[in-house]
Amino acid sequence: MEPTRGITLHNFILQNQRKQPGATGEFSALLIQISLAARVISRELSRAGLIEEALGFTGDINVQGEEVRKMDEYANETFIRAFRDTGLICVLVSEELEGPEHLIQACPVGGYSLLIDPLDGSSNLDCDVTVGSSFAVLRQQHAISPEASLLQPGVQQVAAGYILYGPSTMMVYSTGDEVNGFTLDAGIGEFLLSHPHIRIPEKGKYYSVNEANYQNWSPQIQAYVDHIKSAKGYSGRYVGSLVADIHRTLLHGGVFLYPGTAKNPEGKLRLLYEANPLAYILEKAGGKATTGTERILDIVPTQLHQRVPVIMGSPQEVSLAEQYIAGPALV
Ligand code: AHG
Ligand code: MN
Ligand code: MN
């Protein structure tokens, strides 16, 4: 049955819980706590420009070697606070934390782990451009340690999604079947279903890539982007906030790329909490996500913060990119 537009995220989650015989309610509570973190971060972002220095840097460098902004830290702490002492999450992995944060010692098999980019696109913050958060949920597997259990391929995610802090705040997620989008009504502090059963167009008109890196791409990637630019009907769009670029790609179709370069063959984006959750959403909506040679969701990770080249979006554009990459160098 088609879910009712306008129903609250909370009700939507509870309705879905009733369809799962034997559900304990823990998974529902986990999703509701993610939405709480989203609402808190959204509120803070909306007024951060009014607070002196709130959009500036902490002075720290994170495990990625990037300068940490105060809002990166705030968003990270907000997610931790939303889950501390709830018993809902065994382990939290974050872009802003070097190692896993154990919220439950002695994690039970089947317990949940949460992997997050708490604030994505934070270099866009000081000019009031859309940013986001992305998240993936995994289950602790039998007979292996919580750490090893974090290194599962994305295909085993039990839920994933993102939050977009733009003109409105949206939460888009999937628990394995369809993808649904909810828009925050700040007046009542609730996310309401606004985009039921999102499907990505088979083909789109936007391509999205940071072309400043063109000279450092492989000849195959250069040839593919040259092809897109010379083909009829394409227009370029690049926000520089992954969540925003993927959200547009999801709704309008087209392709997003962050390829490797000669200096950084694995590109920039992190597998566990950026590429995997967004690949999951795109695939569940009918799209494709690849490194160029391998489906992103099939990659067996070896490190928490590993990076991966990314090409994702509408099936037609991504399949063509794969053909260019498989073929002989064209220059
Ligand atoms: P983050 O702010 O979480 O470190 O992520 C930044 C990422 C991503 O949002 C975006 O797609 C990419 O950086 C943009 O990188 P370039 O500036 O190299 O294009
Ligand atoms: Mn990011
Ligand atoms: Mn980030």
Side-chain angles (χ1 to χ4, degrees):
M1 204 177 65
E2 175 83 4
T4 320
R5 236 171 234 270
I7 101 167
T8 66
L9 173 63
H10 205 117
N11 275 0
F12 181 85
I13 290 169
L14 294 178
Q15 282 178 12
N16 281 326
Q17 182 188 320
R18 290 187 60 205
K19 294 181 199 155
Q20 305 296 325
T24 61
E26 285 202 357
F27 187 58
S28 300
L30 187 163
L31 293 170
I32 290 166
Q33 287 309 98
I34 291 175
S35 84
L36 170 65
R39 282 174 280 150
V40 173
I41 295 167
S42 174
R43 192 229 13 217
E44 195 68 10
L45 284 171
S46 69
R47 60 183 193 182
L50 298 170
I51 304 164
E52 207 179 331
E53 304 279 310
L55 295 171
F57 295 95
T58 62
D60 295 333
I61 303 289
N62 69 13
V63 62
Q64 328 280 339
E66 296 159 351
E67 287 183 292
V68 179
R69 287 186 184 254
K70 287 182 185 159
M71 284 305 303
D72 286 319
E73 201 170 77
Y74 179 86
N76 190 50
E77 280 166 8
T78 301
F79 273 100
I80 294 174
R81 271 203 312 277
F83 285 100
R84 180 154 283 146
D85 298 328
T86 61
L88 294 170
I89 293 288
C90 293
V91 187
L92 182 105
V93 170
S94 165
E95 181 188 289
E96 302 302 337
L97 299 172
E98 188 164 356
E101 174 98 357
H102 292 266
L103 298 180
I104 302 177
Q105 303 309 322
C107 185
V109 169
Y112 295 108
S113 309
L114 181 66
L115 301 91
I116 57 168
D117 177 355
L119 198 54
D120 168 68
S122 53
S123 69
N124 275 325
L125 270 178
D126 54 6
C127 46
D128 209 20
V129 168
T130 296
V131 292
S133 306
S134 51
F135 63 90
V137 182
L138 291 172
R139 287 194 98 132
Q140 161 77 17
Q141 287 182 322
H142 185 58
I144 48 175
S145 71
E147 268 84 3
S149 221
L150 295 167
L151 301 177
Q152 296 179 49
V155 71
Q156 289 174 18
Q157 293 167 115
V158 293
Y162 59 82
I163 299 120
L164 188 72
Y165 311 100
S168 56
T169 294
M170 284 193 69
M171 178 160 156
V172 175
Y173 79 99
S174 175
T175 55
D177 35 29
E178 79 265 5
V179 176
N180 291 292
F182 299 79
T183 299
L184 181 63
D185 181 335
I188 57 169
E190 292 269 13
F191 282 100
L192 305 177
L193 181 62
S194 52
H195 296 63
H197 292 190
I198 301 173
R199 301 294 297 169
I200 186 171
E202 272 290 301
K203 181 175 175 359
K205 67 170 185 172
Y206 294 126
Y207 78 99
S208 186
V209 64
N210 185 343
E211 284 195 75
N213 298 325
Y214 183 93
Q215 296 302 338
N216 300 318
W217 295 335
S218 69
Q220 289 90 340
I221 294 284
Q222 289 176 338
Y224 172 66
V225 173
D226 289 345
H227 163 82
I228 290 273
K229 288 166 68 170
S230 59
K232 256 207 171 118
Y234 283 106
S235 192
R237 291 281 190 282
Y238 189 73
V239 178
S241 295
L242 176 67
V243 169
D245 282 315
I246 294 300
H247 186 65
R248 183 200 55 252
T249 305
L250 177 66
L251 296 188
H252 292 306
V255 62
F256 170 88
L257 305 89
Y258 208 113
T261 58
K263 196 166 153 226
N264 298 307
E266 303 307 315
K268 179 176 185 189
L269 301 175
R270 278 61 54 122
L271 174 62
L272 290 187
Y273 41 79
E274 291 182 319
N276 266 345
L278 298 170
Y280 184 88
I281 291 294
L282 285 173
E283 281 204 7
K284 297 297 176 193
K288 286 185 73 172
T290 175
T291 62
T293 54
E294 188 180 8
R295 180 186 178 210
I296 286 176
L297 295 183
D298 284 338
I299 299 171
V300 180
T302 53
Q303 287 168 30
L304 284 186
H305 297 290
Q306 84 185 65
R307 296 174 195 255
V308 67
V310 162
I311 304 172
M312 43 189 166
S314 292
Q316 283 198 24
E317 276 84 0
V318 177
S319 299
L320 185 64
E322 287 172 324
Q323 286 169 32
Y324 268 84
I325 288 161
L330 300 176
V331 291

